[in-house]
Amino acid sequence: MNDATLERFHYDNKIVKYFGAATIIWGVVGMLVGVIAATQLFWPEANLGNPYTTFGRIRPLHTNAVIFAFVGNAIFAGIYYSMPRLLKTPMWNKGLSWFHFWGWQLIILSAAITLPLGLTTSKEYAELEWPIDIAIALVWVAFGANMIGTLIKRRERHMYVAIWFYLASFVTVAVLHIFNSLELPVTFWKSYSAYAGVQDALVQWWYGHNAVAFFLTTPFLGLMYYFLPKAANRPVYSYKLSIVHFWSLIFIYMWAGPHHLLYTALPEWAQVLGTIFSVMLIAPSWGGMVNGLLTLRGAWDKVRQDPVLKFMVVAVTAYGMSTFEGPMLSLKNVNAIAHYTDWIVAHVHIGGLGWNGFLTFGVLYWMWPRLFKTNIYSTKLANTHFWIGTLGIIFYALPMYVAALTQFLMLKEFNDAGRLAYPNFLETVIQIVPMYMLRALGGLLYLAGAIIMIYNMWMTAKQGTFQETEEDQAPALAKAYNPAGEFWHRAWERKPVFFTILATIAIAIGGVVEIIPTILVKSNVPTISSVKPYTPLELEGRDLYIANGCVGCHSQMIRPFRSETERYGEYSKAGEFVYDRPFLWGSKRTGPDLHRVGKKYPDSWHYHHMVDPRSMSPGSLMPPYPWMTTNELDNSDLPAKIRTLQQLGVPYPEGFDEQAIAEYDKQAAQIVANLKEAGVEVASNTEIVALIAYLQRLGTDIKQPTASNP
């Protein structure tokens, strides 16, 4: 081709460097918080005796840091590096790129401040309050606009497979975030979900499952399709397999969310749909794994020496393991064993540490030296990182599987008299404490590997020279192009707007079919006349329960198993949750289920249990909350809370907001009197009083069957 027809342009490496550095820094922070949280589960003193560093508050800090800060910045670094090179054009708008970078870091910083303060919605992977939700939407739209603008001004006619995944990720995350975050503000840092109970649970796990799919999976598949062939110097194994992989994956994934809610109060038809589509997910998921591994054909000899390929091979393998295990966990007989146990924790971390973590490390080790025009400082250190990280994954995951099976077998065991062999949930927790210790060791090893990488990256940058812009050239894209006999998908690949619309339709169908009937068809959530809205004091207690992250350790969903109804009481009904905004069914039991704890113990028991859990439950791993006995509860926004809930359809009487404080004081005085009878002196406006009121309400709305009243 004649040089005169070529156009010269420059790639912006500076934005890639900044996102890459943010990935490394936030990754270590998130992993460190994770190690602290893991330590708290066998050594309660590690909660440090204050409300801001308790497990319930730093667990969501850990998940947000590793998902949105570590993995999120890695996605953006990879996209800002690969997309311009695939499209032969710089990113459309440099200003949007930097707005995206600084906006995202501020969002992460705001999460790091608000979550330890207890400002949370409690929704899994969506804990941040409404002002931050709006900021996320704005920054995400800026990111998407920059991508689409870059596509429109590209010099490469067809979109490569990596870009398909980038586009689908942008569209789907936007849809998920907006619909799951619909809430009505009470104050600047408090809101109530637009959905309640069963409907909130379905929408949350439609979001939660697909946040894993379209934030932790599809963008990383895009990175795999770009960086793995680059690192191996081999073309992608199969173009047609990538087509089947892409379209089937984004369509099927959106139906699978209900498998997180098997055996709960969710309508049976939704559970069945979730299971069917979850099992179907094996095919497209393994299609992607096979396409990745077979791309290495003829290059396996390089894997022995090249740490980049080592990380990528283990990452793709971990992806295959996780996407086999996920569908298996959606089968009801397997889910009955695994749900609410550490099996789910192991499953998540095989994907998080293996797939996301190792692919991120591989991409950084490949990309960083190229940004600085040098070689990696130490291949030996990179290989050391690989082996320490691999050991970390093994020491993390295997003890969790052992813990899960041990706990399941103990919880299900009945003695010869037909009674529970281990009626006290705590007996099962004490048995698996050694597994929690090994899990923390695994996390520490993984963190140590990441610290080695920081040193290696720093020295690599120090020995090289950073190239802020990188020149390239390509011919301008000809306007007229419509070849005869063109493969149908190739035609779609040169129409980015059309392609994006098709992807949007594909991802929307599953959510529409599952969510709309659950909300509109009243028979999906049968009402129970005896279920009443929370009293003002109970409402404040519930908000305290949410703020302290109690849902991270305690479920409020008794499944229809004999072992659970014998231990906790009557199984949970859909109609009991109609006023729960948000739902608090939980996803892991480190402590017992609390849905029927109301009136089970006197008020004084709850008081002493919160001040010193081990005084009531010897061997408990729960941290103490003595400050709740002296912290005054500010209920000045209580009337606003009542008005907000009325707007959302909660049937408080007209004018009840004006009576709320008086009702609050009346119920608080009764609890204070009960405590005084038991020898406990406490002020009526303290946090402990409101929390006790909420706990004593749980599960008391329906009459539980007895031997004489089945």
Side-chain angles (χ1 to χ4, degrees):
M1 179 170 294
N2 193 315
D3 283 349
T5 65
L6 296 177
E7 296 180 348
R8 297 181 188 278
F9 48 90
H10 295 83
Y11 303 126
D12 179 11
N13 286 339
K14 188 176 180 182
I15 190 72
V16 178
K17 182 182 79 168
Y18 272 60
F19 271 119
T23 301
I24 298 167
I25 293 166
W26 286 119
V28 169
V29 171
M31 293 171 205
L32 176 62
V33 175
V35 170
I36 294 170
T39 304
Q40 291 172 340
L41 288 175
F42 64 84
W43 188 38
E45 288 75 11
N47 287 270
L48 305 180
N50 69 80
Y52 312 111
T53 53
T54 55
F55 178 83
R57 291 198 180 179
I58 72 167
R59 178 191 171 271
L61 179 62
H62 163 63
T63 56
N64 277 267
V66 293
I67 294 172
F68 300 110
F70 173 57
V71 172
N73 279 303
I75 291 167
F76 303 138
I79 289 176
Y80 278 110
Y81 184 90
S82 63
M83 194 169 191
R85 287 161 174 81
L86 288 169
L87 299 175
K88 297 298 179 186
T89 184
M91 292 302 291
W92 173 56
N93 189 301
K94 189 175 285 192
L96 281 179
S97 298
W98 287 107
F99 173 77
H100 176 200
F101 175 78
W102 290 113
W104 198 254
Q105 308 319 309
L106 286 172
I107 287 164
I108 294 164
L109 187 61
S110 66
I113 294 169
T114 58
L115 291 173
L117 290 173
L119 303 174
T120 175
T121 67
S122 88
K123 292 189 172 188
E124 195 86 15
Y125 316 134
E127 292 91 349
L128 304 180
E129 269 292 358
W130 69 270
I132 308 174
D133 283 340
I134 292 172
I136 292 170
L138 292 174
V139 172
W140 193 258
V141 167
F143 164 57
N146 211 3
M147 277 209 305
I148 293 168
T150 305
L151 278 164
I152 290 171
K153 69 166 200 170
R154 71 195 186 282
R155 293 183 178 86
E156 185 67 41
R157 187 172 305 281
H158 294 92
M159 294 186 297
Y160 177 65
V161 57
I163 294 172
W164 311 348
F165 283 99
Y166 299 159
L167 277 175
S169 302
F170 161 67
V171 169
T172 312
V173 169
V175 170
L176 293 169
H177 174 70
I178 290 169
F179 281 97
N180 187 56
S181 300
L182 291 177
E183 54 216 355
L184 203 56
V186 177
T187 64
F188 194 74
W189 289 117
K190 177 63 184 175
S191 63
Y192 287 119
S193 173
Y195 316 101
V198 169
Q199 293 148 351
D200 190 44
L202 180 59
V203 172
Q204 160 56 29
W205 280 113
W206 168 76
Y207 164 88
H209 177 79
N210 292 304
V212 171
F214 289 89
F215 200 86
L216 300 179
T217 304
T218 53
F220 268 73
L221 287 168
L223 298 182
M224 179 197 80
Y225 273 116
Y226 179 82
F227 289 100
L228 182 59
K230 284 283 188 182
N233 198 25
R234 291 289 187 277
V236 169
Y237 171 67
S238 172
Y239 165 67
K240 290 188 175 179
L241 180 56
S242 67
I243 295 171
V244 176
H245 170 214
F246 172 76
W247 288 106
S248 56
L249 190 79
I250 69 168
F251 173 74
I252 294 173
Y253 241 129
M254 297 296 286
W255 296 75
H259 78 225
H260 292 264
L261 300 168
L262 299 183
Y263 290 112
T264 68
L266 190 73
E268 183 69 19
W269 64 266
Q271 296 185 40
V272 170
L273 270 181
T275 298
I276 291 170
F277 280 90
S278 297
V279 172
M280 289 167 63
L281 263 177
I282 293 177
S285 299
W286 275 45
M289 180 191 69
V290 167
N291 218 6
L293 292 178
L294 291 183
T295 295
L296 291 168
R297 67 203 186 286
W300 283 99
D301 57 307
K302 296 181 183 179
V303 178
R304 286 199 302 272
Q305 291 87 26
D306 188 351
V308 170
L309 288 177
K310 281 189 179 77
F311 276 112
M312 291 185 175
V313 166
V314 171
V316 176
T317 305
Y319 171 65
M321 292 167 63
S322 290
T323 53
F324 173 78
E325 187 180 35
M328 292 301 100
L329 288 170
S330 72
L331 298 173
K332 278 198 162 185
N333 52 350
V334 180
N335 187 275
I337 299 171
H339 196 54
Y340 289 133
T341 73
D342 289 297
W343 188 332
I344 307 304
V345 180
H347 166 62
V348 168
H349 283 80
I350 289 288
L353 301 176
W355 166 236
N356 297 117
F358 267 33
L359 191 63
T360 295
F361 298 148
V363 167
L364 288 172
Y365 277 124
W366 185 89
M367 193 168 62
W368 205 250
R370 285 164 173 77
L371 295 178
F372 289 88
K373 295 300 174 185
T374 185
N375 295 319
I376 191 74
Y377 170 70
S378 172
T379 301
K380 187 175 181 180
L381 279 178
N383 278 313
T384 302
H385 175 195
F386 169 79
W387 289 112
I388 290 177
T390 302
L391 280 174
I393 296 172
I394 293 169
F395 272 97
Y396 190 106
L398 289 183
M400 290 296 91
Y401 288 118
V402 173
L405 290 173
T406 300
Q407 193 169 45
F408 165 77
L409 292 171
M410 291 180 73
L411 289 171
K412 292 288 185 181
E413 187 171 346
F414 286 81
N415 59 26
D416 292 340
R419 298 183 180 276
L420 287 167
Y422 305 99
N424 188 348
F425 183 89
L426 183 57
E427 294 177 276
T428 71
V429 177
I430 292 170
Q431 290 299 317
I432 59 179
V433 166
M435 300 300 105
Y436 286 171
M437 294 178 178
L438 286 173
R439 183 255 296 272
L441 172 63
L444 191 61
L445 287 171
Y446 198 87
L447 172 61
I451 292 171
I452 290 171
M453 183 187 72
I454 286 184
Y455 175 75
N456 211 354
M457 296 289 97
W458 176 264
M459 296 304 293
T460 299
K462 196 173 178 182
Q463 77 180 9
T465 303
F466 178 62
Q467 188 177 17
E468 189 167 316
T469 60
E470 187 177 328
E471 187 178 288
D472 201 354
Q473 54 186 11
L477 192 63
K479 298 295 182 185
Y481 186 82
N482 192 18
E486 183 181 27
F487 182 56
W488 59 272
H489 202 271
R490 292 287 285 172
W492 291 6
E493 291 163 28
R494 55 183 173 84
K495 301 173 182 176
V497 175
F498 175 72
F499 192 96
T500 304
I501 292 170
L502 288 181
T504 304
I505 294 170
I507 63 101
I509 295 172
V512 168
V513 170
E514 289 180 343
I515 294 172
I516 290 179
T518 306
I519 293 174
L520 296 183
V521 180
K522 291 186 177 180
S523 60
N524 281 310
V525 186
T527 55
I528 301 172
S529 60
S530 59
V531 175
K532 306 298 182 187
Y534 292 104
T535 67
L537 185 63
E538 292 162 358
L539 183 64
E540 290 286 13
R542 189 172 199 271
D543 286 342
L544 276 172
Y545 184 96
I546 290 168
N548 285 285
C550 303
V551 70
C553 290
H554 295 281
S555 62
Q556 290 185 25
M557 173 52 62
I558 302 169
R559 297 173 294 176
F561 301 147
R562 182 186 170 208
S563 59
E564 293 204 7
T565 55
E566 289 280 338
R567 181 173 284 106
Y568 304 123
E570 177 70 359
Y571 71 90
S572 303
K573 314 292 195 301
E576 293 182 82
F577 304 101
V578 292
Y579 302 123
D580 283 14
R581 299 174 187 269
F583 85 111
L584 296 173
W585 297 357
S587 55
K588 168 71 173 72
R589 286 176 183 159
T590 306
D593 187 277
L594 299 182
H595 192 218
R596 302 285 179 219
V597 77
K599 309 303 181 188
K600 187 175 181 180
Y601 307 105
D603 292 348
S604 58
W605 187 96
H606 289 292
Y607 178 93
H608 292 300
H609 184 251
M610 295 303 297
V611 172
D612 181 9
R614 279 172 275 192
S615 68
M616 296 290 102
S617 303
S620 172
L621 302 180
M622 177 178 160
Y625 290 81
W627 52 84
M628 296 190 82
T629 64
T630 55
N631 281 1
E632 291 187 7
L633 196 154
D634 179 8
N635 62 6
S636 59
D637 60 355
L638 184 52
K641 289 182 178 181
I642 297 295
R643 288 193 295 272
T644 302
L645 289 170
Q646 285 174 322
Q647 288 178 274
L648 289 167
V650 178
Y652 288 116
E654 189 175 345
F656 188 70
D657 57 315
E658 298 173 3
Q659 307 164 25
I661 300 293
E663 291 289 333
Y664 174 102
D665 291 338
K666 181 180 177 183
Q667 188 176 4
Q670 182 59 57
I671 292 174
V672 168
N674 294 342
L675 290 172
K676 190 172 183 178
E677 284 181 14
V680 176
E681 295 280 351
V682 66
S684 62
N685 61 342
T686 50
E687 292 178 342
I688 191 71
V689 172
L691 184 65
I692 290 171
Y694 173 63
L695 293 173
Q696 294 289 38
R697 168 67 184 272
L698 289 175
T700 60
D701 282 325
I702 65 170
K703 188 175 182 181
Q704 295 193 53
T706 62
S708 60
N709 179 31

